[in-house]
C-alpha cells in the first residue's frame, strides 16, 4: 500500500476526486492547506496598498492505495489537477506499513 | 406498562438511618458486603431503569428511585467500612445525585466529611467505601474534606460552593453538616456577590463553547444553553441572590419543573440507548427519542420535528429565565442612564420598557421603536415590553406594523448593524414580532435541515449571520479588520442586514434544497415591497438574496488565477457596493454555519476574490463597452419609452462602458438619453435633484479641456461636499458626469433659488465665461481648505489592468476642493480624463482616474511628471493654483 499525498489547486479538488473514484479508490482525506512551491505567491494591490500573498491556498488530498493501482492513481491525479501553469501542485508517494479499521479492528491486506 | 422504579427495600428514604453515627458503631458487627451481590443488584436496577427509559418513563421519578437505590449501596458500604475508624464523619451526595436526579450513567458525586484531621484509619475508610464503587464500574466523583476546610469558605471557588448547596447526607453524623450549612447561610453580601460573579463567569465560559445559542441542531442537553446545567445555575442564582429573587423564584418554579422533567426524560433515553453518559441529542438519537416519547407526527421526520420543537421551547424558557436571573444579579451597564427617555419609553435596570403598557398595547408603531432605542441605549428590552408585545401581537398584521413611512424608517434604522443588534433581533424573534414583520421567516422557525456542516436551526443561523456582521465593528483579528473596513464603507448597511434576514427563507418546506436561493429571492420580493424600498435598495436586497451563495462558490471552487473567472464574477456583481455587501454576506453566512466553518484558508480566498474583483471593477472596466453586453443592451432597448427611438438609444450607449448598465436603472438611462438631445458645443444639459440628504447633479456635455476639473470646482465653490461620482467620456466626445454630494454649508437649503444659481454657473463655466481657479482662489486659502493630513496619501499608477488607459488610483484624506485640484493637474499635464470613479469613505477620498494622452497610455516620463504634480497637490504645497 502507498499513501498518495496530492497538493492541488482548490478548484481542482472535485475533478481529482472524480478521477480517483473512477479507479474505485475508496476513502480520502481532504485538508485545507496553505503553502508555496516554485509559485512563490504574488503581490496584490488594494487601494494603493501592496500586500503579499506568499502562502497560497491549496487542497491536500490523502489517499491510501493498493500497490497495483498506485501508478494509475498518480496519473489520474496529474491529469485532473493539471492546468499547465505554475502552481498546479505536487504528488508525493509514501510507503504504508500497516493499516487498520478502527471499528472492526481488522488489518487491511497490504 | 409503567415500569417507573418505585423502590422501597434497601434504598428508599426509609432506609436512611439518621441516627447512625459511624464513629459510634465501631464495635458493632456488620454483615460483610458481598460485592457480587452488589453488582448483581446494581445491574438489575440498571436494567429496570433502561427499560423504563426506553418506554419514555425515565424522568424525575425513576431517577429519584435510582438515586435511592444508589443511596442504599453507599450506606451498605459505609456501614461495612465503619469498623475502620472511630472518627465522626458524614457521607453526602453532591451535584445531580445530591438533587436526586441521578441518570443511568451519571457520575456518582460524593463528599466524605471528617470532623477531625484525616489519619491512616480514615484513609482506609475512604478506600473501603470508594473501591467497591469503582469495582462496580461507577464513575465516582469524590471530595474528601475536613471540617476545618469550611472555616473560611472560598466564595471564589464557585464549583465547590455550588456543590455544597446540593449536599444531601447519606450516612454518618448529619449534624457535622450543620456548621457548614450555618457558614453557607452566614455568607455576607460581599461573599454572595463574589460567588454570583464566579457563577456567571462559569455560565459565560460554558455558553461560549456553544456559540451562545440554544438553537443547536444536535444539542448537548446537559451543557448547552437551555440545558440541565442552566436549570442548576438558575437554582443557584435564586439561592445565592436572596430575597430579591423571591418573585423570580416563584414565577419560574413551574417552568423550571416542566423543563427539567422533559430534559431528564430525554436524557434517560440517551443514556439507555448509548450505554454511556451521553448527553448530545444527535440526529440518530433524535429519531429514537422521538419514537420513545411517542412524539406526534405521521412519520419519523415529523416526530423528530415535534421533539425538537418541544426541546427548543423548553430550552428557550430555561435560557430566558437564566438570562433574567443573570441580569438581575449583574445588571448590564446600559449606555443610557435609567429614567424616562421620552413620553413612551423609560430605561429601568432590567432594560427599556414602555412608560404606559396599556397605551403601547394599542400602538404597534412603538414596538419596533423600543427595539431600536434599546440598541442605541445598549440595554435589553424589558420583560414588561416583551410580554406586552407578545400578548397583543395577534391583533396586528405586517401591514399594520409598517403602515406609515415613519414605521418603515424605524425598521430600517433598527437594522443598521451595530453592537447589540443580534441580541435585540433575537428578542424580537422570541416574542414573535420579527415573524409578524416578516412572515417569510415563519417557515424557517426552528427549522432543522440535516447536513454535515450546519450546527444551528435555520432561523438561528440567520440571526447569527447578523451577529457576525455586528462583530465586524470590533474585529478580533487583523485579517478580520479588513472586512470591518468594508462594512464602514457601506452606504446603506441596513440593506445587508435585511438581505441576511431573508437569505434562507427559501429553506422552508420542500424547496429547502440547493435551489433555496431562488425561492428565498421570490419570498424576499414580497418583504421588500412591504417595506416600500427605493428601487436601488430593492434591487440590492433581491440581488444579495438570490446570489448569496455565488461568491463562496467562486472563491472556494474556482481558479482565481484565471482572469475570466474574476471578470465573470465582476459582471455578476456589477458595482463595488454590491461586491462589498456580497463579500460581507458571504463571510457572515459561512461563519454562521458552525464555529469551525470559516477557516483562515477560506477567509483568505474570499479576500483575494474581493480584491481581484474590486480591482477589475475599478481599474479594468474601461475596456468593455455597452455593446459587449448584448443581454443588458436588449433589456434597455426592450424597456424604452415611446419617445426614445432604438437608434437614438444605441447611439447614446455605444461609447459608454459596460459598467454604465450596472450603475444606472432604466429610468436614469432614459433620462440621460433625453438630456443628451440637441447638445451643442460649449453647452451643458444638467439636472440637479435632492434625494433625502443627498444631492445629485447629472450633466451631459461635449468634452473639452479642464471640463471635469471645472465642474468639480463649481460644486466646491458653492460649498458642496462631493461623496461619490462617475465621469464617463465616449470616444465620440460625449461626457456624462454624475456627482453625489451633500450641502455641507447649507447653501441649497437656505437659498430658494440656489439650484438655478448652480446650473447657471455651470452653463457659464462650460461656455468658458468663468475662470474657475480665480473663483476658488480666495476659498482655497481658508482654514477649511488646509486640513491636516492624518494619513499619507497613496498614488498608484497602473498600466496593466486596462488595455486602453493608464489608471491612477488615489487614496488621500478628503478635503474641500481636492477633486478640482487633482483633476486640474491632470489636465495641465496634457492628459485626458476619460473615466473617473469618485468615492469618499469616511474621511478618505478614493478616486480612480482613467487617463490617456493623445489617445494612448501614459509613458513612464509622463507618469513621473503627473505623479510629481499630484503629490504637490496632495501635500498641500500647490493649493492656490
Amino acid at each position: 500500500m502507498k499513501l498518495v499525498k496530492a497538493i492541488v489547486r482548490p478548484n481542482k479538488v472535485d475533478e481529482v476526486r472524480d478521477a480517483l473514484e473512477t479507479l474505485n479508490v475508496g476513502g480520502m482525506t481532504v485538508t485545507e492547506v496553505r503553502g508555496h512551491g516554485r509559485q512563490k505567491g504574488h503581490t496584490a494591490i488594494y487601494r494603493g496598498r501592496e500586500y503579499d500573498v506568499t502562502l497560497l491556498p491549496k487542497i491536500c488530498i490523502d489517499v491510501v492505495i493498493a500497490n497495483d493501482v498506485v501508478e494509475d492513481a498518480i496519473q489520474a491525479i496529474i491529469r485532473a489537477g493539471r492546468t499547465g501553469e505554475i502552481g498546479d501542485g505536487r504528488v508525493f508517494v509514501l510507503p504504508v506499513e500497516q493499516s487498520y479499521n478502527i471499528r472492526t479492528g481488522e488489518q487491511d491486506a497490504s | 406498562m409503567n415500569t417507573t422504579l418505585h423502590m422501597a427495600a434497601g434504598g428508599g428514604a426509609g432506609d436512611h438511618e439518621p441516627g447512625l453515627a459511624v464513629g459510634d458503631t465501631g464495635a458493632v458487627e456488620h454483615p460483610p458486603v458481598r460485592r457480587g451481590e452488589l453488582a448483581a443488584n446494581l445491574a438489575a436496577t440498571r436494567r429496570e431503569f433502561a427499560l423504563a427509559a426506553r418506554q419514555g418513563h425515565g424522568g424525575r421519578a425513576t431517577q429519584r428511585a435510582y438515586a435511592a437505590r444508589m443511596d442504599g449501596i453507599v450506606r451498605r458500604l459505609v456501614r461495612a467500612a465503619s469498623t475502620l475508624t472511630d472518627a465522626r464523619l458524614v457521607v453526602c451526595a453532591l451535584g445531580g445525585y445530591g438533587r436526586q436526579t441521578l441518570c443511568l450513567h451519571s457520575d456518582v458525586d460524593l463528599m466524605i466529611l471528617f470532623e477531625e484531621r484525616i489519619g491512616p484509619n480514615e484513609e482506609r475508610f475512604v478506600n473501603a467505601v470508594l473501591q467497591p464503587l469503582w469495582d462496580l464500574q461507577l464513575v465516582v466523583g469524590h471530595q474528601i474534606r475536613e471540617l476545618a476546610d469550611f472555616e473560611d469558605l472560598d466564595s471564589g471557588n464557585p464549583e465547590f460552593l455550588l456543590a455544597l448547596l446540593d449536599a444531601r447526607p447519606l450516612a454518618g453524623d448529619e449534624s457535622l453538616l450543620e456548621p457548614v450549612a450555618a457558614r453557607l447561610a452566614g455568607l455576607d453580601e460581599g461573599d454572595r456577590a463574589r460567588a454570583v460573579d464566579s457563577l456567571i463567569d462559569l455560565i459565560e465560559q460554558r455558553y461560549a463553547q456553544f456559540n451562545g445559542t440554544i438553537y443547536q441542531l444536535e444539542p448537548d442537553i446537559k451543557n448547552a444553553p437551555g440545558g440541565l446545567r442552566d436549570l442548576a445555575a438558575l437554582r443557584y442564582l435564586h439561592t445565592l441572590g436572596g430575597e430579591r429573587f423571591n418573585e423570580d423564584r416563584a414565577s419560574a418554579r413551574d417552568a423550571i419543573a416542566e423543563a427539567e422533567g422533559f430534559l431528564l426524560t430525554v436524557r434517560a433515553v440517551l443514556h439507555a440507548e448509548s450505554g454511556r453518559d451521553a448527553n448530545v441529542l444527535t440526529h440518530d438519537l433524535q429519531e429514537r427519542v422521538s419514537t420513545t416519547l411517542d412524539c406526534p407526527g405521521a412519520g419519523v421526520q415529523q416526530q423528530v420535528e415535534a421533539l425538537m420543537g418541544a426541546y427548543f421551547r423548553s430550552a428557550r424558557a430555561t435560557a430566558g429565565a437564566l438570562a433574567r436571573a443573570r441580569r438581575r444579579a449583574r445588571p448590564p451597564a446600559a449606555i443610557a442612564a435609567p429614567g424616562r427617555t421620552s413620553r413612551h419609553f423609560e430605561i429601568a435596570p432590567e432594560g427599556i420598557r414602555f412608560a404606559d403598557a396599556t397605551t403601547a398595547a394599542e400602538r404597534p408603531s412603538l414596538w419596533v421603536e423600543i427595539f431600536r432605542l434599546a440598541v442605541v441605549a445598549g440595554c435589553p428590552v424589558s420583560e414588561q415590553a416583551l410580554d406586552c408585545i407578545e400578548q397583543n401581537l395577534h391583533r396586528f398584521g405586517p401591514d399594520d406594523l409598517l403602515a406609515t413611512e415613519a414605521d418603515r424608517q424605524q425598521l430600517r434604522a433598527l437594522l443598521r448593524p451595530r453592537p447589540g443588534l443580534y441580541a435585540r433581533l433575537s428578542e424580537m424573534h422570541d416574542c414573535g414580532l420579527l415573524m409578524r414583520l416578516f412572515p417569510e421567516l415563519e417557515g424557517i422557525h426552528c427549522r432543522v435541515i440535516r447536513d454535515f456542516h450546519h450546527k444551528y436551526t435555520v432561523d438561528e443561523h440567520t440571526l447569527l449571520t447578523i451577529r457576525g456582521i455586528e462583530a465586524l465593528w470590533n474585529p478580533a483579528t487583523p485579517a478580520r479588520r479588513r472586512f470591518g473596513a468594508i462594512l464602514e464603507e457601506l452606504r446603506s448597511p441596513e440593506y445587508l442586514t435585511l438581505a441576511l434576514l431573508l437569505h434562507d427563507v427559501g429553506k422552508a418546506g420542500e424547496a429547502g434544497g440547493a435551489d433555496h436561493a431562488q425561492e428565498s429571492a421570490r419570498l424576499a420580493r414580497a418583504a421588500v415591497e412591504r417595506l416600500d424600498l427605493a428601487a436601488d435598495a430593492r434591487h440590492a436586497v433581491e440581488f444579495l438574496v438570490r446570489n448569496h451563495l455565488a461568491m463562496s462558490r467562486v472563491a472556494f471552487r474556482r481558479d482565481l488565477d484565471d482572469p475570466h473567472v474574476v471578470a465573470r464574477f465582476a459582471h455578476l456583481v456589477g458595482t463595488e457596493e454590491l461586491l462589498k455587501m456580497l463579500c460581507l454576506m458571504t463571510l457572515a453566512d459561512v461563519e454562521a454555519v458552525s464555529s469551525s466553518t470559516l477557516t483562515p484558508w477560506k477567509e483568505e480566498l474570499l479576500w483575494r476574490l474581493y480584491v481581484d474583483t474590486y480591482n477589475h471593477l475599478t481599474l479594468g472596466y474601461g475596456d468593455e463597452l455597452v455593446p459587449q453586453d448584448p443581454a443588458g443592451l436588449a433589456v434597455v432597448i426592450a424597456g424604452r419609452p415611446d419617445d426614445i427611438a432604438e437608434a437614438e438609444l444605441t447611439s447614446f450607449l455605444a461609447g459608454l462602458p459596460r459598467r454604465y448598465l450596472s450603475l444606472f436603472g432604466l429610468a436614469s438611462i432614459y433620462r440621460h438619453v433625453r438630456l443628451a438631445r440637441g447638445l451643442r458645443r460649449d453647452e451643458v444639459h444638467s439636472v440637479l435633484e435632492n434625494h433625502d440628504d443627498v444631492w445629485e447633479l447629472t450633466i451631459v456635455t461635449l468634452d473639452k479641456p479642464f471640463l471635469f476639473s471645472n465642474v468639480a470646482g463649481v460644486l466646491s465653490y458653492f460649498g458642496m461636499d462631493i461623496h461619490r461620482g462617475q465621469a464617463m467620456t465616449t470616444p465620440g466626445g460625449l461626457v456624462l458626469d454624475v456627482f453625489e454630494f451633500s450641502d455641507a454649508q447649507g447653501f441649497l437649503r437656505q437659498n430658494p433659488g440656489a439650484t438655478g444659481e448652480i446650473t447657471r454657473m455651470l452653463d457659464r463655466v462650460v461656455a468658458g465665461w468663468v475662470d474657475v481657479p480665480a473663483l476658488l482662489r480666495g476659498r482655497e486659502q481658508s482654514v477649511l481648505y488646509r486640513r491636516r493630513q492624518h494619513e499619507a496619501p497613496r498614488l498608484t499608477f497602473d498600466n496593466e489592468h486596462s488595455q486602453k488607459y493608464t489608471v491612477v488610483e488615489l487614496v488621500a484624506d478628503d478635503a474641500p476642493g481636492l477633486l478640482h485640484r487633482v483633476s486640474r493637474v491632470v489636465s495641465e499635464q496634457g492628459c485626458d480624463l476619460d473615466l473617473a470613479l469618485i468615492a469618499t469613505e469616511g474621511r478618505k477620498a478614493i478616486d480612480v482616474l482613467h487617463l490617456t494622452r493623445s489617445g494612448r497610455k501614459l509613458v513612464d516620463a509622463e507618469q513621473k511628471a503627473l505623479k510629481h504634480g499630484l503629490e504637490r497637490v496632495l501635500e498641500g504645497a500647490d493649493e492656490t493654483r
Side-chain angles (χ1 to χ4, degrees), chain B residues 573-586:
Chain B
V573 292
T575 65
E576 300 91 277
E577 189 73 4
L578 282 180
L579 170 66
K580 289 172 186 173
M581 288 210 269
L582 187 57
C583 178
L584 297 182
M585 185 173 201
T586 306

Side-chain angles (χ1 to χ4, degrees), chain A residues 14 32-33 45-47 49, chain B residues 557 599 601 610 615 794:
Chain A
D14 289 340
E32 297 170 349
V33 295
I45 297 179
Y46 175 61
R47 300 266 179 80
R49 189 166 275 160
Chain B
R557 316 290 278 185
T599 58
W601 187 89
Y610 168 76
N615 285 341
R794 298 196 295 275

Side-chain angles (χ1 to χ4, degrees), chain B residues 515-729:
Chain B
D515 291 336
H516 74 271
Q518 296 299 325
E519 178 65 4
S520 296
R522 189 184 69 77
L523 294 168
R525 202 168 302 131
V528 296
E529 276 171 17
R530 275 200 310 282
L531 285 171
D532 199 21
L533 301 183
D536 57 342
R538 195 176 301 199
H539 168 70
V541 173
E542 285 187 38
F543 171 86
L544 291 171
V545 173
R546 180 176 294 105
N547 295 290
H548 74 264
L549 299 171
M551 194 163 184
S552 57
R553 282 184 185 142
V554 176
F556 309 146
R557 316 290 278 185
R558 298 283 178 270
D559 182 4
L560 301 185
D561 288 332
D562 181 350
H564 297 297
V565 168
V566 175
R568 273 198 299 276
F569 182 66
H571 291 152
L572 174 74
V573 292
T575 65
E576 300 91 277
E577 189 73 4
L578 282 180
L579 170 66
K580 289 172 186 173
M581 288 210 269
L582 187 57
C583 178
L584 297 182
M585 185 173 201
T586 306
L587 183 85
D589 193 23
V590 175
E591 188 172 36
V593 167
S594 78
S595 56
S596 58
T597 315
L598 184 64
T599 58
W601 187 89
K602 290 196 176 84
E603 212 172 311
E604 196 57 44
L605 282 172
L606 188 61
W607 178 253
R608 190 174 157 199
L609 177 59
Y610 168 76
V611 169
D612 289 348
T613 311
Y614 180 89
N615 285 341
H616 184 91
L617 287 171
T618 55
L619 308 179
Y621 73 94
D623 296 341
E624 286 189 299
L625 301 180
V626 168
Q628 288 166 275
D629 180 10
L633 184 58
V635 170
V636 181
I637 290 172
R640 74 185 196 283
D642 293 340
D643 68 313
I644 298 178
E646 183 174 338
E648 182 186 23
L649 185 58
T650 51
S651 162
F652 173 81
L653 293 170
L656 290 172
R658 177 179 180 171
R659 173 188 167 88
Y660 173 77
L661 297 184
S662 302
L663 286 175
F664 298 100
L666 291 178
S668 298
I669 291 172
Y670 303 138
R671 196 176 50 178
H672 296 163
V673 174
R674 294 187 188 103
L675 268 181
R677 285 175 181 163
L679 200 59
R680 286 181 297 190
R681 183 146 299 282
D682 296 336
E683 262 187 9
V684 60
H685 294 177
S686 62
V687 179
L688 182 54
E689 294 171 308
N690 182 222
H691 306 287
D692 296 326
D693 293 334
V694 178
W695 287 83
E696 184 180 280
L697 171 68
T698 306
I699 69 162
V700 179
T701 185
L702 297 174
D703 197 18
K704 63 192 302 187
F706 294 94
L707 177 75
F708 184 81
S709 170
N710 284 340
V711 173
V714 168
L715 292 176
S716 184
Y717 173 73
F718 285 106
M720 303 302 150
D721 195 356
I722 299 171
H723 297 165
R724 59 194 74 229
Q726 310 279 337
M728 301 174 189
T729 310

Side-chain angles (χ1 to χ4, degrees), chain B residues 178-237:
Chain B
E178 285 171 9
V180 178
R183 283 188 192 109
L184 275 175
L187 283 175
D188 63 22
E189 278 302 307
D191 285 335
R192 284 173 183 272
R194 276 190 292 281
V196 165
D197 279 348
S198 301
L199 174 58
I200 289 175
D201 289 344
L202 284 177
I203 295 168
E204 287 174 354
Q205 288 165 20
R206 182 166 53 81
Y207 269 41
Q209 294 168 20
F210 298 93
N211 213 358
T213 175
I214 64 169
Y215 296 100
Q216 315 276 333
L217 292 183
E218 294 186 312
D220 180 332
I221 64 167
K222 181 180 177 185
N223 296 302
L228 285 161
R229 279 208 192 281
D230 268 12
L231 290 168
L234 190 56
R235 287 202 183 92
Y236 296 146
L237 277 179

Side-chain angles (χ1 to χ4, degrees), chain B residues 332-336 347 371-381 419-420 424:
Chain B
I335 293 170
I347 291 178
F371 286 96
R372 184 185 64 77
L373 291 172
V375 174
V376 173
C379 65
V381 174
R424 303 294 78 79

